[in-house]
Amino acid sequence: MTGKNNNGSGSSVRPPFKSLRKATYEIIFRADSTAGKVFDVILLIAILCSVIVVMLESVTTIGLRFHQVLYILEWVFTILFTAEYALRLYSAPRPARYAHSFFGIIDLMAVVPTYLSLIFSGAQMLLVIRIFRLIRIFRIFKLTRYLGEARALRTALAHSRYKISVFLTVILSTVVLVGALMHLVEGSASGFTSIPRSIYWAIVTMTTVGYGDIAPQTVLGQSLAALLMIMGYGVIAVPTGIVSAEMVLSKKMEVRTCPSCHLADHEPDAIFCKKCGARLGD
């Protein structure tokens, strides 16, 4: 009789709540099963619809005419997403880890604004953050190669952060200097009433946006503006070039992979692995 359960079989019976938790986890977190993929597709459609509802509510004519319908839909989606978030916490093997993860924070932020709208009017407009939940589409439709490219871009940005910091410091210094000069040259008569306002004009001009709300009137001011505009066209390409160079360098360094420890961070002309000392392949 030892090792047998009440029905006489030798296999142990899994507690119902554990089976329910595992089944919930398989549906909510796993996209490689039929039920999981169906759940994720329905979730994506619900996210899109909820974002559309928020955007329609911001249109004055639509918001006034269909306010009650949009309000009800907004709360329906919020309740559904709240229940989904609770199920994720319930079924996750490590709930605290999920709650502090990127998706966990986004899932929480997708429902908080509606509840905040009960206290702060207009807070529900922040629900557009739900659009970030669509990132799950990469996992659902097996588009992980795009996530790999995203990681490559993130790595390139991290490696070039010091160069970009120096570049931004130079740009900041330039707009402060030009802004001060324009305030001195043009003065309040042309709209350059203060150095901060002149710096605003310099930033708008250098980025080639050119709102036109402030414009120099003197020859000297216009000449300074022309130089700043030409400089603006030149500096636009600098951050792109820095990041592109880092990405090309990263690709070259990934070519040489150690056959022993599989370390991929080697120079193109490296012969031996810098971690284990094994000879690299041709």
Side-chain angles (χ1 to χ4, degrees), residues 186-263:
E186 294 291 331
S188 301
S190 300
F192 297 85
T193 55
S194 64
I195 292 180
R197 185 166 176 79
S198 301
I199 292 174
Y200 154 78
W201 169 87
I203 294 173
V204 170
T205 302
M206 177 170 277
T207 54
T208 70
V209 177
Y211 291 129
D213 52 345
I214 309 174
Q217 303 300 322
T218 65
V219 175
L220 182 58
Q222 291 172 349
S223 300
L224 193 59
L227 290 174
L228 193 62
M229 294 174 197
I230 295 173
M231 186 185 300
Y233 281 109
V235 301
I236 288 176
V238 173
T240 305
I242 292 174
V243 177
S244 299
E246 289 292 339
M247 293 187 70
V248 171
L249 180 61
S250 298
K251 289 289 185 181
K252 288 183 178 180
M253 294 182 69
E254 290 176 357
V255 171
R256 307 295 298 233
T257 303
C258 176
S260 178
C261 66
H262 304 291
L263 182 67

Side-chain angles (χ1 to χ4, degrees), residues 157-168:
L157 288 172
H159 289 170
S160 58
R161 63 185 181 277
Y162 298 114
K163 297 176 184 177
I164 294 178
S165 298
V166 173
F167 167 76
L168 291 177

